[in-house]
Amino acid sequence: MGIRLDLTTCGITQGQRNTFTDNLNDALAKLDSGKEAFTGWVDVPGIVTSEEMNDIEKTAEEIRAKCDLFIAIGIGGSYLGAQSVMDALFAGDGENGPEVVFAGCNISGAYHKKLLEKMDGRDCCLCVISKSGTTTEPLAAFSILKEKMEEKYGDEAASRTYAITDKEKGRLREEADELGYKSFVVPDDIGGRYSVLSPVGLLPLAVAGVDIRALTKGAVDLMSDEAGKEAEVDYALTRVALSMSGKWIEVFEYFHPELHFFGEWLKQLFGESEGKEGKGIFPASLMFSRDLHSMGQFIQQGKPMLFETVIIIDERNDDLMIPESAGAPLAGKSIEQINDCAIKGVIAAHTKAGVPVIKVHVPVMDAYNMGQLIYFFETSCAISAYVMGVCPFDQPGVEAYKQEMRDEIARIDG
Ligand code: PA5
């Protein structure tokens, strides 16, 4: 196992974790049975066939050859996974292939107007991603951007448009089939927030130049690793035990800003999987050391209702020396040495203040270890949701808001 869980400062004992053994056994049986709805992501090699993997890579190569701006349109699970991996690996910035940007993840006029302007003078491709094929935000953005593509490319626009959606249901599937977009299928048995290792994440990531085979291998290796399974269980049960002791907020923290969107992905994963039937742990995320100068105060001395999960990259790919002009004590040390002091200092200060801290170590930030992180958190999250007694794979609240919004839209005059 590449990633490593450290529970030495979490404040929960093995004895406390053991109190959930019955619920845990039920949870593991459900996940491992292969029969439970929406558990298709558990068996990583089963998510995409080797033909699909080849097709994704071939299509990505074609896209890389014909555009310098690739716009992936989607929201929630249909974009956060790709954005988080891309950012963590500094991919998709246009330096080694097309610039990859996201749309349809907000309903801002200003955002999409700027994007239309950006498309001027650039070679563009669109990829619309929606499992249901009916979500308002991506469909609205897609229509706007598609019109621009038709203006730019006329009949050629369809051959620059890609769709990732259900194999037969939804408006998007109908359109893709009718207009002949190259399309990929979101597997039936995988929900949005568990779909990053399906075409939903893999196509945009391959276009961004990410090694999607290494990403997948990281997850596959963790899946077949006994120590990995133990760590997923321990993390899940520690979280449940902490919540039962009154810690109802989990703050995901990272000391490298490229993990910002991984924090967003984690919030979606845990928030949508656990937050139902009056249960769940509220997931928050903070970027350190920036947020130590704002939220750090609350964590240290505010209402004691939270615990922290810190993601620590052990070996840094880039480092810089601090010049002599900084004077003592900084001069002659590297910026990542100082970052390490921040990590150690924060954990020491917060644990002394009685805040439980869970540490997840990543040996080095690369595609393989991102695959491990994704699988680790997905599996732990599904286990803890089951142990709490909720279904990890539905999102009735989100569906309720989607319908209310559609009703509001239908009431707009004219
Ligand atoms: O996890 C989920 O299922 C949701 O967050 C969806 O990903 C999100 O609502 C987008 O749905 P769709 O892909 O159907 O457009």
Side-chain angles (χ1 to χ4, degrees):
M1 180 177 163
I3 61 168
R4 182 171 60 84
L5 177 70
D6 179 347
L7 294 176
T8 50
T9 50
C10 75
I12 295 295
T13 62
Q14 189 56 41
Q16 286 170 287
R17 282 189 282 275
N18 289 346
T19 57
F20 304 108
T21 303
D22 289 346
N23 290 6
L24 171 67
N25 289 339
D26 286 351
L28 294 178
K30 279 184 179 150
L31 279 184
D32 292 341
S33 72
K35 293 195 186 105
E36 207 67 23
F38 291 108
T39 55
W41 56 273
V42 174
D43 175 38
V44 184
I47 301 176
V48 288
T49 62
S50 63
E51 292 77 47
E52 273 175 313
M53 193 65 154
N54 291 338
D55 194 11
I56 290 169
E57 286 178 330
K58 186 169 155 274
T59 307
E61 272 319 307
E62 283 164 17
I63 294 171
R64 285 169 66 81
K66 72 179 164 198
C67 75
D68 58 23
L69 182 64
F70 178 77
I71 305 173
I73 305 161
I75 196 163
S78 287
Y79 106 100
L80 276 171
Q83 170 108 61
S84 67
V85 176
M86 213 176 82
D87 283 15
L89 303 178
F90 295 96
D93 56 7
E95 278 187 20
N96 299 303
E99 182 185 359
V100 178
V101 296
F102 293 87
C105 39
N106 62 59
I107 330 175
S108 154
Y111 181 91
H112 290 92
K113 188 160 178 264
K114 282 259 165 262
L115 195 48
L116 288 175
E117 285 164 13
K118 196 178 172 86
M119 289 168 77
D120 285 328
R122 305 281 295 267
D123 284 328
C124 306
C125 284
L126 297 187
C127 179
V128 54
I129 309 172
S130 174
K131 179 175 165 76
S132 61
T134 57
T135 306
T136 303
E137 292 91 332
L139 288 188
F142 180 46
S143 309
I144 292 170
L145 300 176
K146 193 171 57 175
E147 199 172 79
K148 177 80 176 180
M149 290 292 280
E150 283 157 2
E151 248 172 57
K152 272 173 85 74
Y153 299 107
D155 289 347
E156 206 207 310
S159 65
R160 289 175 168 269
T161 305
Y162 300 81
I164 306 175
T165 188
D166 188 83
K167 68 173 178 311
E168 47 198 21
K169 291 192 300 281
R171 208 171 110 190
L172 194 54
R173 170 50 60 198
E174 272 172 41
E175 180 174 330
D177 290 348
E178 194 185 309
L179 299 182
Y181 304 152
K182 168 76 183 166
S183 68
F184 291 90
V185 169
V186 188
D188 275 345
D189 56 355
I190 300 183
R193 56 193 174 277
Y194 294 84
S195 69
V196 53
L197 299 175
S198 81
V200 169
L202 296 182
L203 182 68
L205 288 170
V207 171
V210 170
D211 181 347
I212 57 172
R213 287 187 191 258
L215 181 78
T216 305
K217 182 162 181 355
V220 171
D221 286 357
L222 187 56
M223 177 193 132
S224 35
D225 179 345
E226 270 313 305
K229 178 56 84 52
E230 239 170 73
E232 287 151 9
V233 165
D234 285 348
Y235 175 56
L237 299 186
T238 299
R239 295 177 67 256
V240 179
L242 283 167
S243 70
M244 293 181 75
S245 72
K247 308 290 182 193
W248 289 109
I249 297 176
E250 177 173 23
V251 186
F252 294 102
E253 296 160 2
Y254 43 89
F255 287 75
H256 290 87
E258 61 270 26
L259 293 186
H260 168 74
F261 269 98
F262 191 62
E264 298 302 304
W265 179 81
L266 285 169
K267 286 194 288 192
Q268 186 203 358
L269 178 69
F270 284 93
E272 277 191 346
S273 299
E274 292 179 345
K276 51 198 77 154
E277 298 178 35
K279 298 178 185 166
I281 298 170
F282 183 86
S285 69
L286 293 176
M287 184 195 294
F288 287 170
S289 70
R290 184 193 69 182
D291 297 340
L292 287 169
H293 299 261
S294 51
M295 297 301 289
Q297 172 59 35
F298 191 104
I299 294 175
Q300 185 85 26
Q301 293 180 328
K303 197 170 167 60
M305 59 190 176
L306 51 85
F307 65 96
E308 298 166 87
T309 296
V310 190
I311 299 167
I312 303 167
I313 305 171
D314 287 337
E315 195 185 310
R316 322 286 150 71
N317 291 323
D318 294 296
D319 203 354
L320 291 170
M321 291 308 289
I322 299 181
E324 285 307 314
S325 60
L330 296 177
K333 291 164 188 137
S334 83
I335 194 152
E336 288 294 349
Q337 277 180 310
I338 307 299
N339 208 2
D340 263 328
C341 296
I343 296 172
K344 288 184 190 136
V346 163
I347 293 172
H350 291 185
T351 48
K352 277 182 201 160
V355 184
V357 177
I358 298 171
K359 289 166 268 182
V360 177
H361 287 267
V362 188
V364 66
M365 188 42 72
D366 57 17
Y368 179 87
N369 283 299
M370 274 310 283
Q372 294 235 318
L373 279 178
I374 287 166
Y375 196 76
F376 172 79
F377 282 111
E378 283 180 345
T379 309
S380 273
C381 177
I383 295 171
S384 60
Y386 275 139
V387 171
M388 286 177 195
V390 296
C391 170
F393 308 121
D394 60 1
Q395 54 285 325
V398 179
E399 305 308 333
Y401 126 79
K402 285 184 180 179
Q403 192 49 51
E404 291 285 349
M405 179 165 76
R406 280 190 205 108
D407 294 348
E408 287 293 336
I409 295 168
R411 283 196 281 270
I412 298 175
D413 288 337

